[in-house]
Amino acid sequence: MLTTDGAWVELETDPLEPFEEIDDWNKTIEAAGYYKWGVFGRPDESPLWLEVHRRKTTPGLTVPLFLVVVTNHGYCENVYAESLPAMMDLQSRWAPVIQAAAVTDLLGKLDDSQTTYGFAGMVRNALS
C-alpha cells in the first residue's frame, strides 16, 4: 500500500482476501466495501490503464481508502492507496507509463496497413 507520506508498506492481509470465493469481480469489490471511482486510461483503446475503486464510508472499516487495479488486456494487479493524496501520487507515478503505452499503441496502429487505423487504411476510407 502506498501511504500518504509516499512510502510503500506491505499489508498484513489483502482486503479482498475474505471475498476471493465470489466468482464475480464487481461483487467481490462491493463485498469488500469498495465502489468504482474512476478510470485512468481508456480500457477499450489503450493497452494499459488504472481502475480506481474507493472505499465506502462504512464505520469500523479499516482497509485502505483506495484500491487501484493496474490492468492490461491480459493481466491485472491490485495495489492500494491509504488516502486521496496517496492515490494521486500513485496515479502521477503511473501517468507517464499509461501515456507512453497509449502513444506506442497508436503509432503501431498508424503503421498498420491492414486496418482502418493505419495511414493506408485512412487513405482507402477517404477514397471509398
Side-chain angles (χ1 to χ4, degrees):
M1 172 181 71
L2 184 61
T3 63
T4 303
D5 64 4
W8 284 100
V9 297
E10 191 74 29
L11 294 173
E12 289 182 28
T13 59
D14 186 336
L16 298 179
E17 188 176 323
F19 311 99
E20 63 187 14
E21 291 185 20
I22 300 174
D23 290 335
D24 183 293
W25 173 248
N26 293 323
K27 289 181 181 177
T28 299
I29 299 286
E30 187 177 327
Y34 290 94
Y35 64 91
K36 193 166 193 173
W37 189 75
V39 177
F40 298 99
R42 298 186 70 180
D44 294 337
E45 298 178 18
S46 180
L48 181 67
W49 63 95
L50 302 179
E51 290 182 9
V52 180
H53 302 268
R54 189 186 189 286
R55 181 184 73 209
K56 296 175 185 174
T57 54
T58 306
L61 200 59
T62 59
V63 295
L65 186 59
F66 289 95
L67 159 65
V68 180
V69 184
V70 181
T71 308
N72 66 23
H73 291 290
Y75 183 77
C76 67
E77 185 70 37
N78 301 332
V79 294
Y80 295 92
E82 178 180 46
S83 63
L84 180 60
M87 192 283 299
M88 297 303 291
D89 184 15
L90 185 102
Q91 187 246 338
S92 71
R93 293 178 188 206
W94 274 94
V97 177
I98 292 169
Q99 183 179 27
V103 169
T104 301
D105 188 58
L106 176 62
L107 290 174
K109 287 178 179 176
L110 288 175
D111 195 35
D112 184 357
S113 63
Q114 305 299 314
T115 68
T116 58
Y117 291 105
F119 182 73
M122 287 189 283
V123 171
R124 278 194 307 276
N125 285 342
L127 296 175
S128 318

